[in-house]
Amino acid sequence: MSWFFGGSGDISIYRSRILSNQLPFQLLLDDENRFVCAGGPPTTTILSAPSIKCGFAVCGTGISRGIPHRYLSKSDWSHLLNTKPEHIQNQNGHFAICAWESSGISLYTDAVGLRGLFIWKKRDTVLFSTHLELLTRVTGERTINWKQLGSQWLGLNPFDATCFFSGIQRIGPSSVVHLTQNDVRVHVSPLSWNSDQSSTPESVIELLSSILTLPFSENEAVSLGLSGGLDSRFLLGLLMQNPHQTWGIHTFGEEKNPDRLVARRLATITDKAHRTVNLILPKTEDLIPEL
């Protein structure tokens, strides 16, 4: 997965730690009190040329808003950052962005916060990264906030944007962070879910179909995560409108899991390959000592 790591302020010790790590990366910004590096596969890592004046790193995948949808390119991101940074959160997809100029560093998250972005601050030092494990290694901040972790114990997904490591802040969805030498400011843009009264069932289907079939135009592999729920059944119906395209189906769960049983029956109405994945969770008594 793509990632970036950076810092501002008194960073000499932490710079040497990150630059000596074993992950392959590209150094994009490196001056007296700022640095940014990034790594990951080129398909989900969009980087400007290294420069101390200005540049950016995008981790994840951005998708344009208009129909037909398309993946955002390096020039698209450059145009947004240089002319309309306030429109970044309006884009589809999952991404986190680090952009810098002489006045400071700005960080952006997507509208629903699918890509994690984390900040650690201590006195005159601020470090940030999309790679939480790397951030804990560099800072040594590995104390678990058990209260926060406990609140997520029975949930498949976090209920808020709080990090379960003490001393590390997770930046939530639709946020902009501005870092200067002496200041850290976090601004969260309120999401607007205004109902468009002109929307019709046909327009919703057109919108979802455009995004769902985008990988076909890029010759990418498509596999639908199918369960027994209505959401994935609906997406299955949309994919079935493309019988000549190459796509598959996958389902997670144990052999007798109801979702898996229903998904198997649904998959039989297609001629597509159906792959089942049975992830065996470690025993609780093995997990607790590791934590």
Side-chain angles (χ1 to χ4, degrees):
M1 180 179 287
S2 56
W3 58 274
F4 59 71
F5 193 109
S8 176
D10 184 9
I11 56 174
S12 56
I13 296 176
Y14 306 102
R15 178 197 282 112
S16 61
R17 290 177 185 175
I18 188 64
L19 297 183
S20 64
N21 86 88
Q22 301 301 311
L23 292 174
F25 64 87
Q26 182 174 348
L27 187 60
L28 301 171
L29 167 65
D30 189 18
D31 61 20
E32 183 178 355
N33 55 18
R34 300 184 304 169
F35 80 95
V36 175
C37 61
T43 52
T44 57
T45 311
I46 299 179
L47 309 176
S48 66
S51 171
I52 62 173
K53 293 182 178 180
C54 62
F56 63 88
V58 180
C59 293
T61 301
I63 301 175
S64 64
R65 289 187 60 83
I67 297 175
H69 291 89
R70 60 183 177 80
Y71 295 127
L72 296 179
S73 65
K74 182 176 179 177
S75 60
D76 292 326
W77 286 120
S78 179
H79 177 73
L80 279 169
L81 288 165
N82 290 329
T83 63
K84 299 179 180 179
E86 69 276 8
H87 291 175
I88 287 177
Q89 280 87 4
N90 294 334
Q91 309 307 309
N92 293 303
H94 59 94
F95 54 82
I97 303 173
C98 171
W100 62 91
E101 52 188 16
S102 58
S103 60
I105 298 175
S106 296
L107 309 172
Y108 303 85
T109 58
D110 62 62
V112 291
L114 291 178
R115 287 303 303 261
L117 177 59
F118 305 90
I119 289 183
W120 177 83
K121 188 177 188 300
K122 186 175 183 179
R123 292 190 288 273
D124 297 329
T125 304
V126 178
L127 301 180
F128 56 86
S129 184
T130 58
H131 197 315
L132 178 59
E133 194 272 337
L134 186 58
L135 185 61
T136 61
R137 273 198 280 134
V138 171
T139 62
E141 200 73 72
R142 298 182 179 180
T143 302
I144 293 178
N145 182 335
W146 290 103
K147 180 178 180 181
Q148 182 59 33
L149 180 63
S151 69
Q152 301 177 14
W153 193 256
L154 297 179
L156 295 177
N157 297 295
F159 298 118
D160 59 28
T162 307
C163 181
F164 52 79
F165 283 102
S166 299
I168 296 178
Q169 178 183 2
R170 183 175 187 227
I171 303 303
S174 195
S175 297
V176 182
V177 181
H178 295 294
L179 304 177
T180 61
Q181 188 169 355
N182 300 313
D183 190 24
V184 179
R185 290 179 290 123
V186 179
H187 173 71
V188 179
S189 302
L191 291 177
S192 176
W193 302 105
N194 293 330
S195 175
D196 185 354
Q197 299 299 324
S198 63
S199 296
T200 64
E202 291 76 18
S203 65
V204 172
I205 290 175
E206 180 185 19
L207 175 66
L208 291 176
S209 296
S210 177
I211 295 179
L212 191 63
T213 59
L214 174 59
F216 295 146
S217 64
E218 301 291 330
N219 296 317
E220 295 177 335
V222 174
S223 182
L224 173 67
L226 181 64
S227 69
L230 293 178
D231 294 343
S232 63
R233 292 192 198 194
F234 180 49
L235 296 180
L236 176 63
L238 295 180
L239 275 177
M240 289 177 65
Q241 305 303 311
N242 301 270
H244 302 300
Q245 298 285 359
T246 301
W247 52 274
I249 302 169
H250 65 273
T251 301
F252 293 96
E254 299 178 353
E255 184 65 31
K256 296 183 179 180
N257 183 289
D259 271 353
R260 182 165 170 176
L261 297 175
V262 172
R264 181 188 302 163
R265 292 178 60 186
L266 291 171
T268 60
I269 67 176
T270 77
D271 61 350
K272 304 300 181 181
H274 181 209
R275 184 167 61 97
T276 55
V277 182
N278 184 12
L279 299 178
I280 301 176
L281 297 176
K283 295 181 180 179
T284 304
E285 54 267 29
D286 295 330
L287 287 174
I288 297 301
E290 184 176 344
L291 289 174

